[in-house]
Amino acid sequence: MERDYPLERVRNFGIIAHIDAGKTTTSERVLFYTGAQHSIGEVHEGATTTDWMEQERERGITITAAAITCFWAPSYLTDADRLKKESKTRFNVIDTPGHIDFTVEVKRSLRVLDGAVVVFDGVAGVEPQSETNWRYAEEAQVPRICFINKLDRTGASFERSYASILNRLSKKAVRMQIPIGEEDKHDGVIDLLTMKAYYFEGNMGMTVVPKEIPENLKADAEKYRGELVERIVENDEGLMTAYLEGKEISLPALKETMRKAVIANKIFPVLTGSALKNKGVQLVLDAVVDYLPSPLDIPPVKGINPNNGEEVLRHASDAEPFSALAFKLQADPFVGQLTFFRVYSGTIESGTYIYNSTTGNKERLGRIVRLQANDREEVKKVFAGEIAAAVGLKEAKTSHTFSDEANPIILDQITFPEPVISLRIEPKTKADQEKMGMALKRLSDEDPTFRIKSDTETGETVIMGMGELHLEIIVDRMKREFGVEANVGKPQVAYKETITAEAEVENKYIKQTGGKGQYGHVKLKIKPLPKYDPEEKVPKNAHREEGFEFIDAIKGGVIPQEFIPAVEKGVKEAMDRGILAGYKMVDISCELNFGSYHDVDSSEIAYKIAASQAFQEAARRAKPVILEPIMKVEVVVPEKFMGDITGNLSGKRGQIEAMEDRNELKVVRAQVPLSEMFGYVTNLRSMTEGRGSSTMEFDHYAIVPTNVATTIIEQRTGGKA
């Protein structure tokens, strides 16, 4: 079986944006114009293809990333040429959520995509989640095209939104289009490279009609084209010389240089339009073909050979050994567990065995499907550069690598943010109890930012997630998909503990019981660990992971090597229950530098207990503190409520960072502790006569003030502070 589309005509890209910027509306237009569906579903009618979960349709938001495969021939070709197969490019598109509680979907999607279309609201411009998504794209080095959407809305301004991209995201952004009219006068767009005005006519704006630029916009178009051409030729010495000599640069040369610059993340082209009013989307698709990379344009993927620890590369080629990354699990009501994976090199066929190099086990790959959101198309073989889903793999988890068994590779893991909010949950009946455990496990396999733990003291189950909405959706899914009824407690903040000083403690654990006794003797030194940087070189005798470092500094074998892992395990277990209020301890470096052993009585359990006790004592001496999640909050209100809002945020221990105007409204940006923000949306509505809105996302952990820490400790320990 041969590949049906060559690699240079494949584009893997995501559509990312802040909530309500029009991502899903744009995705629906993509499906319609590419012929993947025959009608357009609207978010406000609950009829979209990519928002297929009941919870998404009820709330009008995207919760889970949806994958779509479709085909596009650029609109600038003739009708006859557009029908030819060789003119078409295969799009593997992922529509991602914009709500901060589901940010995991954006992060993992960007890990496996080659490019992104970043959608902005033409009224609001850059919003908090736009910044977070942009940061994720920067981390993944993903080339981007910007699309300023909703230019038909009252208060829309292309120039203001474009300025917010330059000021808050990147100076590398450059206008590629300007709008013809704004708000209710928005008729089309002007392309600055071709110097043509484009209008969208016929059924749902299906026909792209190029015309002459309106007289009143010619001067602006000339000026901005000059800026665009300058930015393009800067990336090529030959073109730069020709340009300075006053020569006219040809359109193909400009497009080719622009493509290289976009792929190298040196230029982010900015396009515009209105997806809802069917204006401009086809030109975004043309730009995806012209400027976003194919799998051949991106650097080879790096990984580690698990057999010898050496770095290996895999190029995007069917001829190379097979390698793929599982980036998402999804429970499907019809076929069971789906494992989404991106193939980086080689090919895989259904009916063969797939080797999981992360676990070292093999599983039979029964069926492979290509996804059209919640519809499935079965395929026999997947090739390099493609995205597909495997049906029924039992052991695969998010971030696992699949590879050729004879040429194994483990690709970099996807790192996920830590949950910041928790709540207690209990089944309503005995029948629910058994089902609840299974449901929670399935949901946590799907979503790495959703965690479950048991409270050892009370025996209760605690679930943890990224926000109130995140946990609300989880509980709702348990009820609908798994038939589990549960009682839910109030949301709680996921505090953490750490230390602020160094301390050294020696501890012996000796127990004589007549026969063989127990003997463990350790000396530990602990100190605060600076923020973990994966690029930082770790000393040879140290073992490092997020928030913890263990250094084995034992000399002369005073503790035998086989007992060292037991010491590390004892320290880790002690860190799980902090010494102030029982919260998990983080950002600690622990050095084991001395101890002794007994020929007969020493055992792993003795060293584990000795280490655990020594760590707890050292932590008490090392000035422990409680850490709380600080949220980035953006509030948009009419000017007359400004004083009330800033006063209210300051009263919540918030720090006001910036205030700016957005049309007739005021925008307040602040950093506020999560513990102060429960129920804020309701309070905001009552303070602003229902006219205020806010968004909130996790920013960082910070030390809790002493008076607040005392209250937290009293609540957790029943007054035994």
Side-chain angles (χ1 to χ4, degrees):
M1 181 183 164
E2 289 305 305
R3 169 192 283 284
D4 53 353
Y5 273 77
L7 263 178
E8 61 269 17
R9 286 198 284 115
V10 172
R11 300 287 181 276
N12 298 310
F13 67 98
I15 299 180
I16 60 175
H18 183 90
I19 192 166
D20 277 346
K23 255 177 344 317
T24 301
T25 305
T26 306
S27 300
E28 288 296 316
R29 293 333 181 253
V30 171
L31 285 172
F32 179 71
Y33 295 135
T34 56
Q37 67 183 40
H38 303 298
S39 65
I40 292 181
E42 299 297 6
V43 174
H44 53 268
E45 293 165 1
T48 57
T49 304
T50 55
D51 284 357
W52 53 272
M53 287 170 70
E54 285 175 32
Q55 293 89 337
E56 294 179 310
R57 292 186 168 179
E58 285 167 8
R59 290 170 171 83
I61 61 168
T62 305
I63 291 169
T64 181
I68 313 148
T69 303
C70 51
F71 303 89
W72 178 249
S75 64
Y76 48 75
L77 298 176
T78 64
D79 288 348
D81 281 343
R82 292 193 74 214
L83 292 172
K84 294 175 184 169
K85 186 178 176 184
E86 57 270 24
S87 301
K88 293 188 176 180
T89 298
R90 163 180 269 147
F91 286 172
N92 296 315
V93 192
I94 296 185
D95 173 35
T96 63
H99 197 288
I100 182 60
D101 285 13
F102 310 105
T103 187
V104 57
E105 296 287 343
V106 183
K107 191 150 199 212
R108 62 172 156 201
S109 300
L110 284 171
R111 171 68 172 77
V112 297
L113 293 170
D114 305 330
V117 173
V118 191
V119 183
F120 299 92
D121 182 324
V123 177
V126 173
E127 296 174 271
Q129 189 64 13
S130 322
E131 292 185 81
T132 304
N133 291 340
W134 193 271
R135 192 173 71 242
Y136 289 160
E138 284 285 303
E139 286 170 14
Q141 287 293 293
V142 170
R144 277 142 277 172
I145 289 171
C146 302
F147 176 54
I148 296 175
N149 186 25
K150 298 195 174 185
L151 273 200
D152 58 301
R153 275 184 66 195
T154 305
S157 162
F158 173 80
E159 284 305 319
R160 197 178 55 246
S161 299
Y162 174 61
S164 73
I165 294 172
L166 291 176
N167 295 334
R168 290 176 64 181
L169 298 181
S170 176
K171 293 278 188 276
K172 296 176 188 171
V174 64
R175 296 179 195 82
M176 223 179 119
Q177 297 175 347
I178 55 172
I180 301 169
E182 289 174 346
E183 300 181 331
D184 57 353
K185 295 186 175 63
H186 178 51
D187 287 334
V189 298
I190 293 168
D191 185 290
L192 299 174
L193 269 187
T194 59
M195 287 300 274
K196 289 244 185 317
Y198 289 91
Y199 298 87
F200 303 85
E201 297 173 2
N203 177 34
M204 307 304 272
M206 183 71 116
T207 312
V208 182
V209 183
K211 294 184 182 177
E212 287 304 306
I213 295 171
E215 276 304 319
N216 63 328
L217 290 170
K218 273 189 176 163
D220 278 354
E222 289 287 349
K223 176 179 133 191
Y224 293 134
R225 184 178 200 270
E227 285 178 15
L228 174 64
V229 171
E230 263 180 42
R231 290 290 298 280
I232 295 172
V233 299
E234 278 172 9
N235 297 283
D236 184 292
E237 272 186 43
L239 288 191
M240 188 71 168
T241 308
Y243 177 74
L244 291 173
E245 287 170 359
K247 292 177 184 168
E248 185 62 37
I249 314 289
S250 71
L251 186 62
L254 285 171
K255 284 178 86 167
E256 186 188 337
T257 308
M258 175 90 155
R259 176 177 175 78
K260 286 177 185 163
V262 171
I263 291 170
N265 280 314
K266 289 179 178 169
I267 287 183
F268 301 119
V270 180
L271 288 77
T272 189
S274 164
L276 187 65
K277 293 292 193 290
N278 310 308
K279 291 181 172 65
V281 176
Q282 295 99 315
L283 301 187
V284 174
L285 300 183
D286 292 351
V288 168
V289 173
D290 290 342
Y291 306 117
L292 284 188
S294 76
L296 293 174
D297 296 315
I298 57 168
V301 67
K302 290 179 186 171
I304 299 292
N305 182 332
N307 297 337
N308 55 23
E310 287 175 8
E311 187 176 89
V312 264
L313 298 179
R314 289 281 187 275
H315 296 81
S317 160
D318 296 342
E320 292 229 349
F322 174 66
S323 68
L325 185 74
F327 67 96
K328 178 177 162 63
L329 269 61
Q330 183 177 305
D332 185 288
F334 303 105
V335 296
Q337 180 92 309
L338 287 174
T339 306
F340 287 70
F341 61 93
R342 155 79 193 254
V343 181
Y344 285 98
S345 60
T347 63
I348 187 96
E349 289 188 51
S350 59
T352 58
Y353 279 85
I354 193 164
Y355 177 68
N356 184 331
S357 43
T358 309
T359 63
N361 295 333
K362 283 202 293 192
E363 284 192 80
R364 190 169 183 282
L365 181 60
R367 292 164 63 200
I368 306 172
V369 291
R370 242 186 231 127
L371 275 290
Q372 297 288 25
N374 63 332
D375 287 337
R376 288 154 299 279
E377 171 205 347
E378 199 151 330
V379 288
K380 285 274 173 274
K381 189 173 185 179
V382 215
F383 298 86
E386 295 190 350
I387 291 172
V391 177
L393 294 183
K394 293 196 171 47
E395 284 192 9
K397 297 274 184 290
T398 302
S399 260
H400 280 187
T401 303
F402 303 131
S403 70
D404 176 17
E405 195 175 355
N407 297 279
I409 183 173
I410 294 181
L411 303 172
D412 281 352
Q413 296 261 328
I414 310 172
T415 55
F416 296 108
E418 287 288 313
V420 293
I421 194 166
S422 68
L423 51 83
R424 296 181 184 282
I425 185 167
E426 60 179 28
K428 281 191 174 169
T429 66
K430 188 89 176 110
D432 286 325
Q433 192 161 2
E434 290 163 15
K435 286 194 289 184
M436 188 174 94
M438 186 189 79
L440 289 175
K441 184 183 180 307
R442 288 275 291 277
L443 291 167
S444 70
D445 282 349
E446 266 186 47
D447 182 351
T449 58
F450 170 60
R451 313 270 170 87
I452 317 146
K453 67 172 190 178
S454 291
D455 189 317
T456 45
E457 286 178 9
T458 62
E460 292 172 304
T461 301
V462 178
I463 59 175
M464 306 173 76
M466 299 305 293
E468 290 181 79
L469 180 63
H470 186 197
L471 295 182
E472 186 188 313
I473 297 287
I474 291 280
V475 173
D476 193 32
R477 287 187 63 192
M478 266 176 37
K479 185 176 172 182
R480 294 195 197 192
E481 293 172 31
F482 301 94
V484 178
E485 295 281 352
N487 295 321
V488 177
K490 279 192 176 149
Q492 305 286 323
V493 177
Y495 293 106
K496 293 180 178 177
E497 295 182 27
T498 191
I499 55 171
T500 56
E502 290 189 16
E504 194 164 26
V505 166
E506 192 168 354
N507 182 55
K508 282 184 181 177
Y509 176 73
I510 303 172
K511 209 167 186 184
Q512 293 305 133
T513 51
K516 182 178 182 302
Q518 297 287 2
Y519 182 92
H521 172 207
V522 297
K523 189 176 179 187
L524 300 178
K525 180 181 178 183
I526 65 171
K527 63 180 182 182
L529 179 69
K531 202 66 196 136
Y532 173 55
D533 174 7
E535 297 298 313
E536 201 180 306
K537 290 283 178 277
V538 178
K540 272 204 165 66
N541 59 341
H543 169 240
R544 228 192 219 194
E545 55 197 57
E546 185 79 60
F548 176 59
E549 176 182 68
F550 182 77
I551 302 168
D552 170 13
I554 289 295
K555 292 186 173 63
V558 291
I559 297 177
Q561 198 58 40
E562 66 264 26
F563 295 130
I564 307 287
V567 175
E568 183 178 351
K569 200 171 177 191
V571 170
K572 276 180 158 175
E573 285 183 11
M575 282 178 67
D576 281 342
R577 287 197 66 78
I579 37 115
L580 287 175
Y583 293 109
K584 184 181 168 77
M585 299 195 80
V586 293
D587 300 335
I588 294 174
S589 172
C590 176
E591 181 183 290
L592 169 64
N593 53 27
F594 189 65
S596 64
Y597 74 102
H598 189 282
D599 285 342
V600 178
D601 292 350
S602 282
S603 66
E604 284 190 8
I605 191 79
Y607 278 103
K608 196 167 120 183
I609 294 169
S612 182
Q613 291 173 347
F615 177 83
Q616 286 172 335
E617 181 54 39
R620 281 191 190 90
R621 295 183 196 174
K623 298 185 182 167
V625 289
I626 294 178
L627 300 171
E628 65 179 343
I630 304 293
M631 310 304 280
K632 197 157 57 172
V633 178
E634 183 171 293
V635 186
V636 183
V637 290
E639 189 169 359
K640 69 174 185 174
F641 302 113
M642 188 73 167
D644 293 348
I645 294 305
T646 52
N648 180 264
L649 289 173
S650 299
K652 292 178 176 295
R653 299 192 282 126
Q655 289 185 323
I656 309 292
E657 291 197 306
M659 297 184 212
E660 60 189 49
D661 295 329
R662 190 178 287 167
N663 299 340
E664 310 304 311
L665 300 170
K666 291 282 183 186
V667 180
V668 183
R669 290 209 291 280
Q671 296 209 332
V672 194
L674 173 61
S675 58
E676 304 281 350
M677 292 301 289
F678 290 126
Y680 182 70
V681 174
T682 313
N683 295 346
L684 179 66
R685 285 193 190 120
S686 60
M687 278 191 291
T688 60
E689 300 164 4
R691 293 160 67 195
S693 65
S694 71
T695 54
M696 175 171 81
E697 64 170 296
F698 171 70
D699 192 68
H700 67 283
Y701 269 88
I703 295 173
V704 174
T706 313
N707 59 326
V708 181
T710 307
T711 311
I712 295 167
I713 294 165
E714 282 173 359
Q715 285 171 349
R716 284 279 285 192
T717 58
K720 303 188 286 288

